[in-house]
Every structure is written in C-alpha cells, then in structure tokens.
Amino acid sequence: KEDRIESPVHIFSSHFYTTLKEEGPSGVRSWTAKKNINIFEKRFIFIPINQNLHWSLCVVVNPKEILKTQSLESNENEVDDSAVSCILFLDSLKAHKKNTVAKYVRRWLNAEYKRIIESNDEKVFNKSTMKVYAPVIPYQNNSWDCGVFVCRYAFALFLNRYQEFTSYDSASEGKYYITKNKEFKFNMDDIRRMRNEMKSLIVNLSSSYENFKKEEKQKAKEAKITKNAATASTTNDHTTESGKIITTKPKELDQIARIDNFEVTQDGYTQHMTPCLEQEI
C-alpha cells in the first residue's frame, strides 16, 4: 500500500469537480490544504467527472513540470524525452466538453500554484502551457458502462504511474503513451468482466464495512458513557449527621449507566458502599 503523501498519484472523488465548477477554486482549497497534499509532487491527479448522467475522467499530468513546459513553448518543434505538464481527457462517449473541463481545472491549478509556490502569477497554467489532449482510447458501445470505463482508464494510467509523460508523447497527443499502450488494450468483454468483479468486490466488502460501522458505533457509545461517569465523579459529596451521603445531581447525565460500584441516572447517582441510600436533592 502506497503512502498517501508519498504516492505519485492523487485521486479526487467526483464531488471535487462539481464543487470546483459551482464554487470556484476557493471551494475546494481545503481538499488539499487540510490533508497537506502538494499536487506539485504528483505525477497524476485523477479528477472523475459526473455530469448529465455520464462519467468521464480528467487527469492532470506532471503539474510540477510547468516551467519546463513554458520553456518548450518557445520551440514547439523541439521534441525530446523530458517530462511535460498537460491534461488528459478520457471520455468513452465523447459526451463531455474537454475544453470546458480544462478551463475549470486550470483555474484550480493556478490557485494551488499561488498557495503552495507562493507566487503572484495568477495565470501560470493556461491554454499554451497546460494543453488538453483527448487521445484515441477504447470506447463503449452501450449507454450504461461509462463508469466502468472511467475505472478502467484510471487503472491503466495507475499501472503506468512511474513512467514519464514526455514532450514526445505530447507531440503525438498521447498517442504512444496511451493509445498504443498495452494497458489500454481492452474491449467490451473486459469491461463486462470488470463490472462483475466490481459487483463481487462490493458484496464481499459490504459485510466487513457493516461490522466496522457497528464497532465504531459501540466505541462511541462506550466513550460517551465513560465521559459521563468522569463528569459525575467530579461532583461534591456531603455527609449528614446520620452518615448519609448526599450527592449533587449531575445535570450533564442524560442516560442510565452502571460503572463499577456506581449507579448513574438522570436524577443523580447512588454509591452502593454507603450504609443507606442518600436522599436526592
């Protein structure tokens, strides 16, 4: 299992793009800031998109290479094996508009660049420095497998996460990196098999997840009882002439709990070691 911070790949949920589109870069700032994620240390950033009952996949490639990409811009005919920054757009139905998606993603990249690199340049990522490519890929021949295709695209790229996407690849719009890559050699039979595998995985994991949630709920309940007992133990006891212990009623308690030799109720609590029951006040 790869460490989330050290991994060359970062994967967002589909809510990321939806929030980005509706609220702008400020709406998704915490998605990386709170988790201490530096996107400029990643080779691939997966952004799944769900719009109009269809799934597609946007992949930010080598964002840290943006300065090298800018230097290559001065000579577009120069092609070598140096890593470059770009956006890959994979859509099994060609239903989503890649340029619209790229526009929102570039805005977010510029905001992250300003936050992390602490630069005042607000347009480092633009149409020239951060181009978007839609390489030829396997496409679906039905109207319901788009989600599985997105998972398959992501899996293929994940297997190539340690392979550089170079200026040579960008010159061919990803033709050699993706279209002719063996990891992208799959068809509808593979997609159907993958769908069945995903279904089996979900069924098998569901029981484990349910048990996990039950354990979490029980732990939370026990922690609350322990906290209430600790609160109750801090109340003041008063001894009467008859030897009775009168205990101030803890207002915080909202349930019945028995801890060791104490009975705790919403009306107060009784210490069973006393000669007689105290009078509640």
Side-chain angles (χ1 to χ4, degrees):
K1 182 179 179 180
E2 291 184 337
D3 180 78
R4 174 170 55 85
I5 302 298
E6 300 297 329
S7 174
V9 173
H10 186 70
I11 304 174
F12 285 114
S13 73
S14 60
H15 297 295
F16 175 83
Y17 181 77
T18 302
T19 305
L20 172 63
K21 187 176 180 181
E22 295 177 352
E23 303 178 18
S26 61
V28 294
R29 177 187 175 92
S30 62
W31 289 56
T32 51
K34 285 187 176 181
K35 296 181 179 180
N36 196 31
I37 299 295
N38 184 347
I39 65 169
F40 298 103
E41 295 177 350
K42 306 300 180 182
R43 181 163 294 164
F44 290 138
I45 301 172
F46 294 95
I47 304 176
I49 299 169
N50 181 247
Q51 286 188 144
N52 303 322
L53 302 178
H54 178 60
W55 287 91
S56 62
L57 179 65
C58 176
V59 184
V60 177
V61 181
N62 297 326
K64 68 178 180 180
E65 303 294 336
I66 188 64
L67 296 179
K68 294 182 180 180
T69 304
Q70 287 179 308
S71 66
L72 287 172
E73 184 182 10
S74 60
N75 184 358
E76 295 183 353
N77 295 321
E78 182 181 349
V79 177
D80 55 28
D81 60 354
S82 60
V84 296
S85 299
C86 69
I87 295 174
L88 296 176
F89 190 68
L90 312 177
D91 187 339
S92 59
L93 278 181
K94 299 182 180 180
H96 291 163
K97 297 180 179 179
K98 67 176 183 179
N99 291 325
T100 299
V101 172
K103 177 182 68 175
Y104 288 108
V105 172
R106 290 190 192 104
R107 289 177 183 174
W108 167 68
L109 289 170
N110 282 321
E112 286 291 283
Y113 188 87
K114 185 176 182 180
R115 179 181 71 84
I116 297 174
I117 308 301
E118 299 181 348
S119 170
N120 292 324
D121 192 341
E122 297 181 356
K123 294 185 178 181
V124 175
F125 294 90
N126 53 57
K127 292 181 180 180
S128 298
T129 61
M130 196 67 170
K131 296 181 179 180
V132 56
Y133 303 116
V136 177
I137 50 179
Y139 301 105
Q140 66 186 94
N141 61 8
N142 56 37
S143 59
W144 57 82
D145 274 327
C146 53
V148 184
F149 268 83
V150 163
C151 293
R152 187 61 181 80
Y153 295 151
F155 176 66
L157 283 173
F158 182 80
L159 293 177
N160 288 279
R161 63 193 180 282
Y162 293 110
Q163 179 182 335
E164 288 287 6
F165 188 94
T166 68
S167 59
Y168 180 79
D169 296 309
S170 65
S172 65
E173 298 193 0
K175 177 179 179 181
Y176 296 99
Y177 189 88
I178 293 181
T179 306
K180 293 190 175 184
N181 190 305
K182 66 177 183 177
E183 307 300 346
F184 279 84
K185 301 298 182 182
F186 59 89
N187 53 37
M188 289 302 298
D189 289 335
D190 298 312
I191 292 298
R192 281 189 285 271
R193 182 171 60 253
M194 186 174 185
R195 175 181 284 278
N196 291 330
E197 291 174 351
M198 293 171 67
K199 178 181 178 180
S200 298
L201 178 62
I202 293 173
V203 171
N204 292 335
L205 289 177
S206 62
S207 59
S208 298
Y209 178 75
E210 290 175 357
N211 292 333
F212 170 77
K213 294 301 292 183
K214 288 180 181 179
E215 291 177 1
E216 289 294 300
K217 186 176 181 179
Q218 181 62 28
K219 289 179 181 179
K221 182 178 180 180
E222 293 175 356
K224 185 175 182 180
I225 292 175
T226 301
K227 181 180 179 180
N228 288 340
T231 301
S233 66
T234 61
T235 58
N236 295 323
D237 293 340
H238 304 281
T239 304
T240 64
E241 292 181 357
S242 62
K244 294 182 179 179
I245 298 177
I246 301 177
T247 304
T248 302
K249 189 167 49 176
K251 298 179 180 179
E252 297 84 356
L253 299 181
D254 59 359
Q255 63 179 358
I256 296 177
R258 286 180 173 80
I259 308 259
D260 295 332
N261 60 337
F262 290 92
E263 178 179 312
V264 185
T265 72
Q266 59 182 0
D267 297 320
Y269 69 85
T270 301
Q271 185 177 13
H272 296 291
M273 298 299 292
T274 55
C276 58
L277 298 179
E278 71 268 27
Q279 187 71 32
E280 297 177 352
I281 62 171

